[in-house]
Amino acid sequence: MRSHKLFLSALLVLVLAFTSILFVAHAQDSSGAGLTIGFAQTGSESGWRTDFTNAMMSEAEAMGINLLFSDGQQKQENQIAALRSFIAQGVDAIILAPIVETGWDDVLQEAADAEIPVLIIDRGVTADPSLYITRVASDFVYEGRLAGAWLATATADRASCNVVELYGTVGSSPAIDRATGFADAIALFPQIQIIASQSGDFTRSGGKTVMESFLSSMDPSTICAVFAHNDDMLIGAIQAMEEAGITPAVDILTVSVDATNDELQMLIDGKANATVLLSPYMGGPAYQAIIDYLGGAELPPLIMVPSAMYFQDTAAAELANRTGG
Amino acid sequence: MGFRELMSDAAEKQTPVLQTSKLTKWFGPVRALYDVDFNLYAGEVHAVLGENGAGKSTLVKLITGVYRKDSGAILLEGQAIEPHSPHEAQAYGISTVYQEINLIPTLSVAENLFLGRQPMRMGFIKTGEINSRAKALLKTYNLDIDASHTLSAFSVAVQQIVAIARGVDMSAKVLILDEPTSSLDAHEVQLLFEIMRSLKARGISILLITHFLNQVYEISDRITVLRNGEKIGEYLAASLPKRELVSLMLGRELVSVTDEGNTNGKAAHQNERSFLQVEGIARRGMLEPLDLSVAKGEIVGLAGLLGSGRTETAKLIFGVEQKDIGTIYVKGQKTTIRSPRQAIGQGFGMCPEDRKIDGIIPELSVRENIILALQAKRGWFKTLSRKRQEEIAVEMIEAMRIVTPDSTKPVGQLSGGNQQKVILARWLASQPELLILDEPTRGIDVGAHAEIIQLIKRLCADGLALLVISSELAEIVEYSHRVVVLRDRKKLTELTGDDISEQMIMHTIAES
Amino acid sequence: MLETKTAVEPTTAPTPFNLMQTLSRNRRFLFPVLALILILIGNRLISPTFFTIRVGPDGRLIGSLIDILNRGAPTVLLAIGMTLVIAAKGIDLSVGAVIAICGAVAAVLISTTTLPPLLVIAIAIGAGILCGLWNGILVALFDIQPIVATLILMVIGRGIAQLITEGQITTFSNESLEFVGTGLIGGFPFPIFLSVIVVALVWLLIRSTAIGMLIESVGANDRASFYAGIDATKIKLLVYIISGICAAITGLIITADIKGADANNAGLWKELDAILAVVIGGTALTGGRFYLIMSVVGALIIQSIQTGIYISGLPPTFNLIVQAVVILAILFLQSEDFRRLFTGAWAKLRRQS
C-alpha cells in the first residue's frame, strides 16, 4: 500500500518535471522578425494580468515582433473597437484575450474577410472555431492536479492530512477547474481530506478573512494544509496564520496557483511551500503558432501552455530571473 | 336633544341609496367612530360636518374600504356591502375624489380618465380614441380642453373636475367629495357647484365634506353633524341656522367669528415708522412692481383672488423666490434677502400656504417641529438643550391649545388644524418681528379657525408686524389695519380705515 | 429615534436601566437586535466553539465573536456614513471606490516616500474628504440626483485608484500603518476600537448638536426645511463628507490589514453592504428619521451571517443564497404587514383548535 502510494507520487512528480522541460523547450523557439501583430488585452484587473501583458511585450521584443497593444479596460466594446482598428491597419495577425466568451462572431468574421488570422489567448470564445486559428491557454484543471500531487508527495509520510481550501470567485472557471483538478488528484490519497472550503473571491482580504474564520472556529492544530486557488488569497491567509501565532509552511503547509512575484517572495521567506505557475508566458507559444500558421502549418484547435511549480529553493532564481531580466 | 331632527316626507318614503347602521371603528383604545347611522338619499347633496377629529374621514374611509369596520353595517341600495379597498368600493358604484387629487399628474388628462380601462387594440392603447372620448366626456362638464395634455398642466380646479368625471364615468351611484373646494377660487367653486347640481339632477348622490360653512348652505340639501366620533344629528340644510350648526359642531356657544366688523383702531398705525418697507419689488411672470409697508403692531392684509399675486408677494419678501428688481428696507435699512434663511436673519417668519409641502416635517415630533426654525437660526452647534426644547414645546402646546398626547408625537399624525398651530408655534418660538401668514386658516375646523384669528390679534397687540393673506374676506376685514388689494399680479389699491369692508374689497377687485 | 425618545416626559427622571422598557416601547429597536441574537445562536448551533474566545500568542484574542467585530468594522464604519447620507434623502454609491482610492493613496505614499505614517494617514483621510466634497457638491450645489452623482465617482473612482497603484497590488511594510488594520490593544484588534471611536464621535456630533435633527428635517421635507431657514446645502455637504471620511478610514483598515492596496478589489460591493445595514437598521431609504446605532446592529448582522457561512462547512456555491434568504427573513420580520399576516394566521389557527 505504502509503496503503491510512493510510486504514484513519484509518477506525478515526474509529470511535473516533464512539463517544466517542455516549457523551457518552447520558450527558446523564435524568429518572427518583421511581423506586426495586434494584441487586444482585457485590461489590467490583477497582478497576473499585468505580468501577462508585460510577458507578451517582452517576448514579442525578443522575437523581433512589432506588437500593437490595446488595453480593453474590462469592456468588450473597447476590445471590439481595437480589433476593428487592427483590421483597418492591416496587421499580419491579431491576438485576442477575450474579456467574455460571447459576442465575437461579427468582428471575427470581419477579420476573416480581411484575411487576417486571429489567435485567441487565455479565455475561450463561443464563436465558430473556423473564425480563429487556434486558442492558447493555461489548463486550470491541470494546475489543480499539480497542486494536489505536490501535497500528496509532501504528506506521503503522514497518517492523515486535513486541508482547508480557499475557493476563488464562485462560478468562475479557474475556481471550478482548479477545485476539480485538486479534488481529482487527492482522491487517489485517502489520507488527504478537504475539511472546509470557502470563497475568498481571489482577493487578499478575502483569503485573510476566510482563513481567520477557519482558525477561529476550529482547532488550528487539526489543519494540515491550505490550498488556495490563487496566490493573493494565500498571501492573505499567511497573514491570518501569523497573526494567530501559527507558523505558515511549517505548522500548516501551503500550496497555491499563479506564482506571482509576491508569492515567490513568500517562498523565499519560508512562509509558503509551493506555488503552481499560471503561466503568464503565453506569448511565446502564441507567436510561434502564428509563425507556424503563416508558414502553412496545421494547428491544433487548442494549445495548452504547460505549467511549472516553484518551491522554497527554486523561487529565488525565478524571481531574480523575472526582476533582473 | 330638542333640535329639529327633520326628515322630509319624501325621504322617509324611499330607502337611502347608501346607509350606515351603527357603524363603529376603533383605533386601539381610541374610538374614531361610534354607532353612526348615516343616510344618503338619491339625488341629494349631503354634507357631513364636524371639527377635525369628529370622524368625518373615518366614516368616508370605512365606506370606501380604506378601513374595515369593527361593527355595524354599510348598506348600498338596501344590500349589505363590505368593500375591502377603494377599488372594490368603486366597483359597487361609490367613487371618491379626495382633497389631494388621486390622479397621476404626469399622464395626460385622457389617460387619467381611462386609466385601467383603456380601449385597446391588439394590446395597444388607442390613444386617438381615448383623446376624443375624453374631450367629449369633459364637454358634458362644460370643460373644453385638449385632453391629450398632461394633467399637471391644468389648474387644480380642472384636475378636480377630471377626477369627478372619472369617478362618475365609472358608473357612480354615490360620489364622495372630500374638501373639493379648498384649493379653488370663487369662480372655480361656482363651476364645481354647477357640476354638482347637474350630477344631482342625474340622480347621483353626493356626500360632501367641507370646512366652508357658506358653501354648505349654498349647495347642500341635508347636513349630518359628527362630533367626537358620534352622530349629533341629521338636519335639512334649509332649516338649520348657521349659528346653531356651529354650536352643534363645537358642542358649545361660539364667539362670533365673521359677523363682527373691524374693531381695530384703523389708520392708527398709518404714520408710524414701518418695520418692513418694500419698494417696487417685482419678478417677471409673477408680480408687477409693488410697494408695501408693515409697522410693528400692525396687521396688513393681502386680498385678492387665487393667482392675483398674494402668495407671490409673500414669497418674494421672504426670499423663497428671487425678485428681479425692487428694494426691501427693514427698520429703514436697505437689506438683501435671497433666501428664507436671510429673511429669518432679519427677524421674519412665514407660515406658507401649503403646510403639507412647505410647512410640516411629518416624521419629526411636535417638539422638533416647534423648535426647528429657532434652532436653524441658532446654527448647528448652539444647540437648545433638551430641557429648553421641551419647555418651549410644552409652553407652545398649551398656549396654542395644540391637541396632542405629548410633544413626541410625529406631526404628520396630527389633524390639519393642529399642524397649522404647530407651524405657527414654530415661528413664534423663533421670536420674529414680522410674521407672514399665507392662508393661516385654510382647511382647518371652525374651532381652530376662531382660535387662530384670536391669536393673530393677540400677536399684533404684543407688537408683532403681521402680513396676512387670506381668501376669506370676512377674516381679512376683521383683523386688518390696512388691506392691500391685488388682481392679475398687480397691486390695485390699499384700503384703510372705514374703507375696509368685504363689499369694498370685492368692489375693488371687480371694478378698476 | 430610540436615542432621542427615551426620555419622553420632562418630569420623568430617566432611570439608568430602562433597556427592556425601551425595547418593548420601540419595536424598531427590538427586531434588528432580536435578529442579531438569533443569528448568533444559529451560529453557535453550527459551531460549538462559536462563543469560545482563546488567547493567541502575542495576547491576541481569537474567536468568531472577535472576528465578527473585527471584520464587521468596515461595514459598521460605512454604515454610519451611509445612515447620515440616506437620512438626508441621499445615497452614496461611491464608498467602495473611495475605499480603493484612499487605500491606494496610503499604500503608495508609505511605500514610495518617507512621510511619517500619521501624515500619510491624514492625507488618505483628506482624500476621503475630497471625495465626499465632490459628491456633496454634485448633489447639493448642482442638484444632481444622489444616485447618479455618486455613481460617477463609483465608476471613475476605481480607475483613479488603479492609476495611483499603476494597476498593481501595492504592498508595503510599515508597522505604524499596519497597526490600523492588525494592531492589538488589550488583545482586541484595532479596527474594533476605530469603529467604536467613530460611532461615538459621529454620535456626539449628530446628537449632542442640532445637526441630527437638521439632517432629518432636510431628508423628510426639504421644502419645509428651506422655509424654516435650514441651510440644506451645508447639511448635504456635511453628510457626504462624513461618508467620505468613514470610507477613507475603512480603506485604511482594509489596506493595512493585507499590507497592500488592491485597487481592483478593495471595498468592492461594500456600498451595497452599507446600504443594506442601514435598511436592516430601520432607516427608510426615503430619508428622514435615522437610527445610527441600529445601522451598526445591521452591519453586525451582515457580518454575523458572513462569518456563519464561513464556519458552516457549506460549499461556497451556497453563500449568496444563504445570505439572501437570511436577510429576506430579517426584512420580513421588520415588515409590520408581514408580521400581521403571520400573527393573524397564528391567531386563526389557535381559534380553530
Side-chain angles (χ1 to χ4, degrees), chain B residues 269-326:
Chain B
H269 301 271
Q270 193 70 319
N271 298 320
E272 271 182 33
R273 200 179 146 85
S274 295
F275 171 76
L276 171 78
Q277 179 122 21
V278 169
E279 278 177 12
I281 57 161
R283 185 187 162 96
R284 267 192 67 182
M286 272 183 94
L287 192 69
E288 307 275 313
L290 171 141
D291 298 341
L292 185 79
S293 73
V294 193
K296 290 240 181 155
E298 185 186 35
I299 302 176
V300 174
L302 282 179
L305 299 175
L306 206 68
S308 63
R310 309 173 308 194
T311 299
E312 289 75 6
T313 305
K315 283 184 172 173
L316 288 176
I317 293 174
F318 198 60
V320 176
E321 303 280 355
Q322 307 299 316
K323 58 183 190 296
D324 294 335
I325 49 163

Side-chain angles (χ1 to χ4, degrees), chain C:
Chain C
M1 170 130 153
L2 74 112
E3 304 96 42
T4 57
K5 290 287 164 98
T6 41
V8 177
E9 303 294 339
T11 45
T12 322
T15 46
F17 267 96
N18 58 359
L19 179 72
M20 287 320 287
Q21 217 184 326
T22 316
L23 269 178
S24 59
R25 199 184 305 144
N26 204 328
R27 294 185 157 203
R28 279 183 187 284
F29 189 82
L30 182 67
F31 284 97
V33 172
L34 192 72
L36 180 59
I37 293 170
L38 284 177
I39 290 166
L40 292 180
I41 291 173
N43 285 350
R44 169 63 182 75
L45 295 179
I46 293 167
S47 160
T49 60
F50 182 74
F51 289 132
T52 318
I53 292 172
R54 62 177 194 271
V55 182
D58 58 358
R60 172 185 297 268
L61 298 173
I62 297 171
S64 295
L65 286 179
I66 303 286
D67 281 359
I68 288 172
L69 290 175
N70 187 24
R71 291 295 156 205
T75 315
V76 167
L77 285 164
L78 295 179
I80 292 165
M82 192 65 80
T83 306
L84 301 185
V85 172
I86 287 176
K89 217 182 193 128
I91 198 150
D92 190 350
L93 295 182
S94 71
V95 289
V98 175
I99 287 172
I101 292 175
C102 298
V105 166
V108 168
L109 285 181
I110 206 85
S111 59
T112 60
T113 68
T114 54
L115 294 176
L118 272 179
L119 186 60
V120 168
I121 290 171
I123 293 172
I125 291 176
I129 292 175
L130 278 181
C131 292
L133 194 63
W134 162 265
N135 285 330
I137 286 172
L138 291 186
V139 172
L141 296 183
F142 292 94
D143 214 16
I144 299 175
Q145 286 190 24
I147 198 162
V148 178
T150 57
L151 193 66
I152 295 170
L153 188 56
M154 177 186 180
V155 174
I156 64 169
R158 228 161 254 290
I160 293 172
Q162 281 163 356
L163 278 179
I164 297 172
T165 60
E166 294 167 346
Q168 307 282 355
I169 295 182
T170 306
T171 54
F172 57 85
S173 175
N174 180 294
E175 280 191 12
S176 306
L177 186 53
E178 284 164 23
F179 189 84
V180 176
T182 58
L184 289 179
I185 296 178
F188 288 95
F190 187 59
I192 299 179
F193 291 95
L194 261 183
S195 60
V196 171
I197 290 168
V198 172
V199 170
L201 284 179
V202 172
W203 171 267
L204 274 179
L205 176 71
I206 296 307
R207 289 302 186 193
S208 75
T209 70
I211 295 171
M213 186 185 77
L214 298 181
I215 292 173
E216 287 176 335
S217 172
V218 168
N221 188 343
D222 59 344
R223 294 267 322 152
S225 305
F226 174 63
Y227 271 91
I230 296 169
D231 193 341
T233 307
K234 268 204 241 160
I235 288 283
K236 286 179 183 168
L237 283 176
L238 177 77
V239 294
Y240 284 99
I241 287 173
I242 292 178
S243 181
I245 295 173
C246 289
I249 298 173
T250 308
L252 286 170
I253 291 178
I254 290 178
T255 304
D257 183 39
I258 60 165
K259 304 177 182 72
D262 185 345
N264 290 298
N265 297 307
L268 197 62
W269 308 127
K270 269 289 180 191
E271 57 279 346
L272 300 183
D273 280 353
I275 294 168
L276 186 61
V278 174
V279 170
I280 291 175
T283 301
L285 286 178
T286 47
R289 277 278 185 228
F290 67 87
Y291 312 96
L292 202 61
I293 301 298
M294 285 300 95
S295 297
V296 173
V297 173
L300 292 178
I301 285 177
I302 294 172
Q303 190 56 45
S304 303
I305 297 170
Q306 189 67 57
T307 302
I309 290 170
Y310 284 154
I311 61 176
S312 65
L314 275 173
T317 34
F318 287 95
N319 286 4
L320 297 176
I321 295 171
V322 173
Q323 223 165 330
V325 167
V326 176
I327 285 166
L328 198 65
I330 296 169
L331 294 179
F332 271 147
L333 199 68
Q334 275 178 316
S335 150
E336 237 169 81
D337 287 339
F338 182 80
R339 281 205 310 270
R340 205 177 300 130
L341 197 77
F342 188 76
T343 47
W346 177 245
K348 217 173 190 176
L349 259 166
R350 298 228 350 210
R351 260 202 307 271
Q352 279 166 359
S353 66

Side-chain angles (χ1 to χ4, degrees), chain A residues 102-116:
Chain A
T102 54
W104 299 102
D105 307 60
D106 288 350
V107 73
L108 290 180
Q109 187 61 54
E110 286 166 35
D113 293 346
E115 295 184 355
I116 296 174

